[in-house]
Amino acid sequence: MTWQGVAQIFVLLAAVAVLARVMGGYMFRVFEGGHTFLDPVLVPVERTVYRLCGMRADEEMRWTVYLRNLLIVNAVGFVLLFALLGLQQFLPLNPAHQPRVPFWVSVNTAVSFVTNTNWQVYAGETTLSYLSQIWLTVQQFVSPVTGICLFLVIARGFARHQTGTLGNFWHDFVRALLWVALPLAILGAIVLVALGSPQNFSAYVHATTLQGGHQLIAQGPVASMTSIMQLGDNGGGFFNMNAAQPYAGPNVVALVVQLLLGFAVPAGCIYLFGKMIGDVRQSWAFYAVMAIMFLAGALLLYHSEAVGNPIINHLGAAGQSNWVGKETRFGIGSTSLFENSTTAISWGSVAASNDSLTPLGGMVTLFNMMTGEVIFGSWGVGMVGMIAYAVLAVFLAGLMVGRTPEYLGKKIESFEVKMSVLAMIVPSFVILILAAISVLSGAGRAGIFNPGPHGLSEVLYAFSSGVGNNGSAFGGLNSASPWYSATVGLAMLLGRFPMYIPLVAMAGALARKQRIPVTAGTFPTHTPLFVGLLTGTVVVVGALLFFPALALGPLAEQFVMQAGHVF
Amino acid sequence: MTADPASGGRRPRRQSFWTSESVRQGLRQAFVKLDPRTLVRNPVMFVVEVGSAFTTADAVRYAVAGNLGQFSFVAQISLWLWLTVLFANFAEAMAEGRGEAHAQFLRQSRTETSARRQLPDGTVEVVGASDLRKGDIVLVSAGDVIPGDGDVIEGIAAVDESAITGESAPVIRESGGDRSAVTGGTRVISDSLKVQITASPGESFLDKMISLIESAKRQKTPNEIALALLLAGLTLIFLVVVITVAPFAAYSHATVSVTVLIALLVALAPTTIGGLLSAIGISGVNRLFERNVLALSGRAVEAAGDANVIMLDKTGTLTLGNRQATEFLPAVGVSQAVLAKAAELSSLADETPEGRSVVILAQTKYGLEESPSDADGMTFVPFTAETRMSGVDVDGRQIRKGAVDSVVEWCGQAPDTALREQVGRIAGSGGTPLLVAEPARILGVIHLKDVVKPGIREKLESLRQAGIRTVMVTGDNPVTAAAVAAEVGVDDFLAEATPERKMEYVKSMKAEGYMVAMVGDGTNDAPALASADVAVAMNTGTMAAREAGNMVDLDSQPTKLIEIVEVGKQILITRGALTTFSVTNDVAKYFAIIPAMFVVAYPGLNALNIMHLTSPQTAILSAIIFNALVIPALIPLALRGVRYRPASAAVILRKNLLIYGLGGLVVPFVGIKLIDLIVTALHLVSTVR
């Protein structure tokens, strides 16, 4: 480990704090009434959209109505995408003459891009037509914007009092698209083009290499797709190699830009939450929890990669660090940071092959996702997951101050507990049950490329990534097989809607409640003590749920490796 | 007068939990409660019982197969699993046992009596008490047991209520006013009453009390329901965690027996809090009962913990209730001694507390000799509402003391400027100035003051730190009220309080989201009581007030509201503390059991055996023994409640997180290690690694 490698983690976190403040303030003005510098351009566009689509954007909705509209938009997105993938050979914009996408792959891909997972079981440049890629890009806008809507409706449950309504879905959806997603994506694309990513609709280029071999160099709308892929925490890159591909990640600066793009909105949601409930101290407590967990993960990952594999070190080869599967242009420190970020903010874009991380390093990425993608997380839902943890933490420990637990002025009663327990049950059940069936069934075992504990890590990673709507892959798993296409698809779907719907219902109940005034008897939720409590809750809950699985996966592998044995 | 021995003597008060009789009873109930039909109400313990049944069957299988090594291990695990369930049942039984003793006592008072019912035409017939209906009018005289709850509509009598309050001193019950409620089962000692029955049989106060105490286990409070949901959710999650361990283990070529999986499940499930949850709730209601407060629902007890505004009556609660002389302020040209002597003389025959306090002040502070109160030649002039003064004529000298304007008029002289200022100062500070004068000569002023109860200021200060607003309710004018409020140290006051104003105040506080606790006695308090979240009715109060309240204070001490709030908080804290303890315990249990399960398949995993437990079998057995023993170890805490001292939430949280959160992480590491040492030393199970 070098001091520069460690310092860059702190620099990144500081930059994220600034981003949170700037983006959160901006988004507050966008969604909760206020003026932004883009209004002169976008307000007419917004009006036109409402008029053309016949949307009534000014009437308040109950949570059920809000949710219904949200689900309809996502269902329509799924059907369109599924049809497009199945029919791409008949449709225009297909210069490479890509054939139709296999059934399970289209199901998986459609779910993947609707749920903001962008788990890719295909290699983008060799499977999809430009039209398909473009439509995937549309979904890369729609799915994170859906996440923002989920966040807004849940945050309003805390921000509002004694009301049955939680805002208007069309208002939130259109504004998130016009004011947040589009401008930032355009900005990001321009920067990436400037840094060397291609942006065109040209056919792939045939090149003859120096050795006289032939190579097909894929190009296309790479910059724009990379921009929204990172901005929207999508991770569904243009290239199979994702950010490690020289066109998508031309240099370290481009990598940094992509990191910041990825953090922009999730971090902004932290501050936005505080603005909405009228107490930004709460935001900084959340930020602290996420930053502590991020820092711990990044340091552990960096450390275990820098120390590397004792067996290889013993052979005296390749220096000390674990360079396998890493992008040598970026180095160990940056790559480790990138991998920790990708699992933390749920964007799933990789600059290394996680399969080749050391077992402990791999466990960090796994744990980041198993805790429910709450370390910044993706647009909106990362914050929502953390709020759900806060509700549980407040309920567990809140009784200890001698009052009915209350969070942000709202009493946490049996309905709220039920809903947050449900939200916690979904991801853990999906990961554990699907992984258990996979290692039992022939179809599941057939897809595991590495035997032993490493294979178990691969399976756990696939479902954690799916249910966390992360989309990054550990690799080493035949994810395109019908078994994993179907089950990971199921995990993605369950991890998106069944996980957050209970929390929307909770918000509906919370909004109806009266606000309890803050007194000295109120459980304080902005103090360092609460930061410690919440961090502890996330870590302990995650550890309690997954300790046996992790013991047989990465931990077993690590200790076996130390004993001089690899898988 | 003493209590009638036939009425059952004193009610049991704070008794020791651990009498041999109660323990024997508890042990028997612990086995009775193994019935799965009752245990299913407690999902956590039900899962443990099902698990115990499985491992027992497993043990039998090994015994039949002749595999004695495995049999010994599995049988011991089964034994401790059964003990876990029994310990939890025992805790609940102990809590219920205490309630049952209270109910038994009350039931003695509910003997069948006959009643003399007066019909509308005036004739009287004798009927059984159970035939009485709401609205009936009955006659009771000295020696009779009052046949049912009701309001006195005619007469005044001394009533012995020791049957329900445990207090032997009789109380006065009379028609009209705020002392008109009588309770069925109490006994008239003197005179006679005409009572209108207000409750039909089975719905009386006594019936409610008995059924409440008996059924404390059946009603769950809102917080209890929410917590039970969380515990059930956790158990379900751990069930899935443990079930999925089997395929993961199979994939890893590790053999894990069903018994070990069940042991893991029981270790992870929140058995500590699951086993003690109902005991905590029941004992809370009992603790209130031991303080002579009867909560009509568990919900009310919990609401008391949540209360953040408490309304306290000034008189009797915050102040001693009678004004006392605190200083003599002489007029210009009059000495202290002259004024003190005059004040004393004028008050010698004044038997009111104020009058006596003047005499005491004169004698203690100004060192006057005690004067004969029945001296010849003294003519006492009593206080009347018309003259608004009292006094004495002695040796031809007339002395009067009283309200300032009345005395000025009588004396024909205005007080000097300095004295007028003093009078203004006294009135402004909430006190009462009494002018002392002779004809044509003002002697000075006596300062009468409402004396704050000792210790109340500190009590209110600690409540403030705990985030509870205290509101003083008084009939005084706003100026006086403000002065007393400042002296007592309340956060707010309600002056010139009328029933309507009280109710409005309660409602406005509730509209702001506060939870309001208050005490009331009179019929006109009923509307405010009904709208408050915690409404404590005085037992001496009217039936209307009692019905509007959700708690009854049998001692009729308004200060007790503060204790009630503290008991409410204690219950919640105890639940939260044990839940946190229970969940954080799991970390250590994982470190004991997981390496033990997989060390054969992956010897490297012994690195996770950070407690260095002897062998897989000792590790698992030790974890299960710890898990079982922690329940009886915590029974006293569950029954007594975690100690509560008013402080801010931040302070309480820090302290309790340290004790029960961090303690919950650390204690089992130590406990399991110690048990492992014992298990190893005794060779209870295989110590082969």
Side-chain angles (χ1 to χ4, degrees):
Chain A
M1 286 169 93
T2 60
W3 71 266
Q4 291 94 335
V6 174
Q8 68 180 355
I9 303 174
F10 285 93
V11 172
L12 175 69
L13 284 173
V16 169
V18 174
L19 266 181
R21 176 74 181 73
V22 173
M23 283 302 298
Y26 173 73
M27 288 196 287
F28 182 70
R29 292 193 296 278
V30 169
F31 296 113
E32 298 291 282
H35 294 285
T36 66
F37 66 100
L38 290 172
D39 285 5
V41 185
L42 293 177
V43 168
V45 180
E46 183 193 16
R47 285 211 195 98
T48 315
V49 170
Y50 293 150
R51 206 170 45 244
L52 286 180
C53 304
M55 296 165 175
R56 301 241 297 269
D58 47 0
E59 61 186 23
E60 284 285 320
M61 295 174 174
R62 309 181 75 78
W63 72 267
T64 43
V65 180
Y66 194 105
L67 188 65
R68 193 176 65 217
N69 288 316
L70 184 145
L71 291 177
I72 289 171
V73 166
N74 281 275
V76 168
F78 173 82
V79 171
L80 272 178
L81 184 55
F82 181 68
L84 213 59
L85 293 174
L87 302 172
Q88 70 172 2
Q89 73 273 31
F90 307 120
L91 297 171
L93 279 179
N94 190 0
H97 302 291
Q98 306 284 12
R100 82 178 272 275
V101 181
F103 177 78
W104 280 113
V105 174
S106 353
V107 172
N108 184 288
T109 305
V111 170
S112 173
F113 279 77
V114 164
T115 57
N116 194 17
T117 312
N118 304 5
W119 167 266
Q120 293 168 290
V121 299
Y122 57 91
E125 66 272 39
T126 56
T127 315
L128 300 178
S129 72
Y130 283 158
L131 183 67
S132 299
Q133 293 268 33
I134 289 171
W135 198 257
L136 289 183
T137 312
V138 171
Q139 275 301 327
Q140 290 197 324
F141 281 95
V142 171
S143 64
V145 162
T146 300
I148 287 280
C149 293
L150 284 169
F151 164 79
L152 286 171
V153 71
I154 289 165
R156 286 191 190 115
F158 290 96
R160 297 188 175 186
H161 317 293
Q162 290 165 296
T163 173
T165 59
L166 292 169
N168 180 293
F169 173 71
W170 303 118
H171 169 269
D172 295 345
F173 186 81
V174 171
R175 288 204 146 226
L177 208 53
L178 290 180
W179 266 263
V180 183
L182 278 173
L184 283 171
I186 292 169
L187 185 70
I190 293 171
V191 173
L192 287 177
V193 168
L195 290 171
S197 280
Q199 174 76 14
N200 57 44
F201 284 104
S202 312
Y204 296 171
V205 174
H206 288 272
T208 310
T209 63
L210 287 177
Q211 288 95 344
H214 288 280
Q215 190 181 4
L216 189 65
I217 299 179
Q219 50 181 346
V222 177
S224 64
M225 203 154 164
T226 306
S227 174
I228 186 61
M229 144 181 127
Q230 306 296 43
L231 171 69
D233 302 325
N234 292 295
F238 189 85
F239 300 107
N240 190 29
M241 279 171 67
N242 226 311
Q245 215 274 3
Y247 275 171
N251 48 43
V252 175
V253 180
L255 210 61
V256 171
V257 168
Q258 292 182 30
L259 267 178
L260 293 179
L261 274 176
F263 275 104
V265 177
C269 286
I270 306 173
Y271 190 75
L272 174 58
F273 184 68
K275 289 287 279 182
M276 286 175 75
I277 59 165
D279 183 3
V280 292
R281 293 174 311 175
Q282 308 288 342
S283 297
W284 297 121
F286 276 115
Y287 174 80
V289 173
M290 295 181 184
I292 288 169
M293 296 192 62
F294 185 88
L295 185 64
L299 287 177
L300 187 58
L301 182 61
Y302 184 23
H303 172 75
S304 57
E305 295 312 305
V307 170
N309 185 331
I311 300 170
I312 297 175
N313 294 347
H314 195 65
L315 297 173
Q320 287 272 301
S321 302
N322 176 20
W323 280 99
V324 183
K326 301 234 170 26
E327 177 58 30
T328 48
R329 290 179 296 145
F330 303 148
I332 298 275
S334 301
T335 315
S336 299
L337 179 58
F338 198 90
E339 293 319 290
N340 189 55
S341 305
T342 200
T343 44
I345 61 175
S346 178
W347 83 34
S349 154
V350 290
S353 175
N354 287 359
D355 197 24
S356 310
L357 294 175
T358 56
L360 269 187
M363 190 171 84
V364 169
T365 59
L366 202 47
F367 196 74
N368 281 340
M369 297 187 296
M370 282 173 162
T371 49
E373 288 292 353
V374 294
I375 309 168
F376 298 104
S378 70
W379 284 35
V381 290
M383 188 60 199
V384 167
M386 195 52 109
I387 293 171
Y389 270 114
V391 168
L392 278 180
V394 163
F395 187 79
L396 273 173
L399 283 168
M400 279 197 291
V401 304
R403 287 254 292 262
T404 292
E406 62 199 55
Y407 183 51
L408 306 176
K410 301 288 182 140
K411 267 193 187 176
I412 305 302
E413 291 166 297
S414 54
F415 185 75
E416 289 74 33
V417 170
K418 203 190 299 179
M419 292 302 119
S420 46
V421 168
L422 262 181
M424 187 173 74
I425 279 181
V426 170
S428 52
F429 278 23
V430 169
I431 296 171
L432 290 173
I433 294 176
L434 289 179
I437 297 174
S438 293
V439 298
L440 272 189
S441 69
R445 292 165 77 107
I448 301 172
F449 295 154
N450 306 77
H454 195 76
L456 184 59
S457 301
E458 287 165 359
V459 173
L460 287 171
Y461 195 102
F463 292 113
S464 302
S465 176
V467 85
N469 296 146
N470 181 293
S472 71
F474 208 51
L477 192 70
N478 181 10
S479 54
S481 70
W483 171 260
Y484 285 108
S485 293
T487 49
V488 175
L490 183 66
M492 293 188 285
L493 208 54
L494 292 171
R496 183 66 162 185
F497 301 108
M499 177 165 171
Y500 296 112
I501 288 173
L503 297 177
V504 178
M506 177 180 89
L510 286 174
R512 277 194 291 277
K513 294 189 183 195
Q514 198 177 20
R515 177 169 215 157
I516 304 164
V518 174
T519 67
T522 307
F523 186 109
T525 54
H526 59 271
T527 56
L529 185 68
F530 184 73
V531 169
L533 175 69
L534 184 53
T535 312
T537 305
V538 176
V539 173
V540 169
V541 167
L544 290 182
L545 291 174
F546 297 108
F547 192 68
L550 292 175
L552 289 172
L555 286 175
E557 194 187 354
Q558 179 78 22
F559 292 122
V560 169
M561 181 178 85
Q562 280 168 357
H565 193 72
V566 282
F567 291 93
Chain B
M1 273 177 274
T2 52
D4 183 351
S7 69
R10 291 179 69 84
R11 213 158 41 74
R13 293 286 183 104
R14 300 173 200 205
Q15 59 192 23
S16 161
F17 315 140
W18 305 104
T19 64
S20 61
E21 169 58 26
S22 67
V23 171
R24 205 164 47 238
Q25 182 74 14
L27 286 174
R28 204 177 57 235
Q29 280 299 313
F31 282 94
V32 172
K33 283 168 183 284
L34 283 179
D35 185 341
R37 284 167 301 180
T38 50
L39 206 60
V40 76
R41 283 201 310 259
N42 184 342
V44 183
M45 280 302 147
F46 183 71
V47 164
V48 180
E49 184 174 45
V50 172
S52 317
F54 264 104
T55 58
T56 308
D58 214 22
V60 171
R61 197 168 57 86
Y62 282 119
V64 170
N67 184 343
L68 289 183
Q70 274 297 316
F71 167 75
S72 165
F73 172 66
V74 176
Q76 289 185 60
I77 292 282
S78 307
L79 173 72
W80 285 100
L81 294 186
W82 282 114
L83 282 175
T84 309
V85 185
L86 287 172
F87 287 149
N89 287 348
F90 178 68
E92 192 180 73
M94 285 302 286
E96 282 169 5
R98 291 168 76 199
E100 183 53 35
H102 299 316
Q104 194 66 37
F105 178 83
L106 291 173
R107 222 175 282 121
Q108 291 170 357
S109 322
R110 203 176 48 172
T111 45
E112 179 66 4
T113 52
S114 57
R116 284 183 292 142
R117 178 160 66 184
Q118 190 177 41
L119 298 176
D121 58 10
T123 58
V124 173
E125 59 171 8
V126 175
V127 294
S130 56
D131 296 326
L132 291 175
R133 290 291 172 269
K134 212 170 167 173
D136 283 354
I137 290 168
V138 295
L139 304 174
V140 278
S141 10
D144 288 350
V145 170
I146 298 175
D149 291 0
D151 266 323
V152 178
I153 53 175
E154 209 178 292
I156 172 168
V159 178
D160 171 15
E161 295 194 336
S162 60
I164 54 165
T165 64
E167 291 301 326
S168 50
V171 292
I172 299 298
R173 291 285 177 256
E174 59 186 338
S175 60
D178 288 345
R179 294 186 296 179
S180 65
V182 288
T183 309
T186 57
R187 186 181 294 267
V188 176
I189 307 181
S190 72
D191 306 299
S192 57
L193 297 172
K194 189 186 271 187
V195 174
Q196 181 160 36
I197 297 296
T198 52
S200 299
E203 297 164 14
S204 77
F205 187 61
L206 208 57
D207 291 320
K208 276 191 207 158
M209 276 171 78
I210 293 169
S211 79
L212 178 91
I213 294 169
E214 285 183 328
S215 69
K217 59 193 171 202
R218 267 177 271 128
Q219 304 169 328
K220 281 188 175 168
T221 60
N223 274 317
E224 225 174 331
I225 293 169
L227 189 53
L229 258 168
L230 179 73
L231 298 181
L234 282 176
T235 309
L236 182 67
I237 288 173
F238 287 130
L239 193 65
V240 169
V241 168
V242 169
I243 288 174
T244 55
V245 163
F248 293 149
Y251 167 85
S252 311
H253 308 291
T255 26
V256 178
S257 71
V258 175
T259 296
V260 171
L261 284 178
I262 289 173
L264 177 63
L265 173 62
V266 172
L268 292 180
T271 46
T272 311
I273 179 66
L276 296 172
L277 186 58
S278 63
I280 295 170
I282 298 169
S283 66
V285 174
N286 281 331
R287 272 205 301 284
L288 274 184
F289 194 68
E290 280 154 8
R291 288 177 168 80
N292 251 349
V293 175
L294 192 85
L296 297 179
S297 71
R299 181 187 284 263
V301 183
E302 232 174 55
D306 284 346
N308 41 20
V309 169
I310 62 178
M311 297 175 62
L312 298 164
D313 280 328
K314 184 193 85 173
T315 311
T317 309
L318 301 175
T319 63
L320 286 172
N322 34 46
R323 294 169 301 176
Q324 297 194 337
T326 54
E327 56 182 335
F328 298 134
L329 301 161
V332 175
V334 180
S335 75
Q336 282 275 6
V338 169
L339 173 62
K341 185 71 197 165
E344 186 199 15
L345 282 173
S346 69
S347 306
L348 277 177
D350 187 350
E351 278 302 310
T352 62
E354 286 93 343
R356 279 204 301 257
S357 78
V358 171
V359 176
I360 290 167
L361 182 73
Q363 287 168 2
T364 54
K365 199 167 170 189
Y366 297 95
L368 295 185
E369 291 292 309
E370 194 164 334
S371 306
S373 60
D374 53 352
D376 295 328
M378 278 194 188
T379 316
F380 295 108
V381 182
F383 178 88
T384 66
E386 289 80 47
T387 60
R388 295 171 65 218
M389 56 188 178
S390 61
V392 66
D393 296 346
V394 56
D395 304 334
R397 184 179 165 204
Q398 290 182 308
I399 307 173
R400 294 291 180 272
K401 73 169 200 295
V404 175
D405 45 353
S406 310
V407 174
V408 166
E409 195 182 319
W410 172 82
C411 153
Q413 186 91 31
D416 58 76
T417 334
L419 202 60
R420 257 206 309 276
E421 269 172 25
Q422 294 290 7
V423 167
R425 180 184 63 81
I426 293 168
S429 70
T432 309
L434 283 186
L435 212 55
V436 184
E438 293 175 338
R441 182 178 176 218
I442 304 266
L443 296 173
V445 167
I446 304 171
H447 183 173
L448 283 184
K449 192 170 153 188
D450 217 350
V451 178
V452 174
K453 275 192 180 174
I456 201 81
R457 207 185 152 85
E458 292 70 27
K459 191 85 215 168
L460 295 181
E461 178 55 35
S462 67
L463 286 176
R464 181 173 310 111
Q465 278 165 12
I468 297 172
R469 272 169 72 98
T470 47
V471 180
M472 182 183 84
V473 180
T474 172
D476 292 345
N477 63 60
V479 177
T480 310
V484 178
E487 192 181 346
V488 178
V490 288
D491 297 299
D492 195 6
F493 62 88
L494 180 65
E496 290 170 351
T498 59
E500 294 75 37
R501 281 178 56 94
K502 273 197 210 176
M503 188 176 68
E504 275 164 26
Y505 190 86
V506 172
K507 285 193 169 158
S508 72
M509 279 288 128
K510 288 188 69 173
E512 286 175 41
Y514 287 100
M515 297 271 285
V516 183
M518 70 170 286
V519 171
D521 51 7
T523 301
N524 48 22
D525 281 336
L529 282 172
S531 44
D533 298 286
V534 181
V536 181
M538 298 288 105
N539 189 45
T540 53
T542 61
M543 201 47 88
R546 267 201 221 172
E547 280 173 1
N550 47 22
M551 288 191 204
V552 177
D553 177 15
L554 301 174
D555 293 344
S556 305
Q557 281 176 8
T559 336
K560 219 183 260 170
L561 189 56
I562 296 171
E563 278 180 58
I564 294 172
V565 168
E566 290 179 357
V567 170
K569 286 195 177 296
Q570 230 187 358
I571 295 176
L572 296 176
I573 292 176
T574 309
R575 273 194 208 127
L578 293 184
T579 307
T580 309
F581 187 79
S582 195
V583 172
T584 47
N585 265 209
D586 283 358
V587 175
K589 294 175 196 162
Y590 258 143
F591 277 99
I593 297 181
I594 292 293
M597 285 170 88
F598 303 133
V599 76
V600 178
Y602 297 119
L605 280 180
N606 200 41
L608 292 177
N609 180 11
I610 54 178
M611 285 175 271
H612 297 288
L613 305 178
T614 312
S615 74
Q617 289 203 349
T618 62
I620 294 168
L621 184 62
S622 304
I624 290 301
I625 293 178
F626 176 84
N627 189 55
L629 287 183
V630 82
I631 296 177
L634 290 173
I635 288 178
L637 184 73
L639 296 189
R640 201 181 54 231
V642 170
R643 183 192 295 273
Y644 171 77
R645 281 224 188 85
S648 76
V651 172
I652 298 179
L653 180 67
R654 192 178 317 129
K655 195 185 88 191
N656 287 335
L657 260 186
L658 201 66
I659 299 175
Y660 299 99
L662 209 58
L665 274 177
V666 176
V667 166
F669 278 103
V670 180
I672 292 174
K673 177 67 187 170
L674 286 177
I675 294 171
D676 185 74
L677 290 176
I678 298 169
V679 166
T680 307
L682 297 177
H683 288 282
L684 290 179
V685 287
S686 161
T687 50
V688 179
R689 304 195 60 168

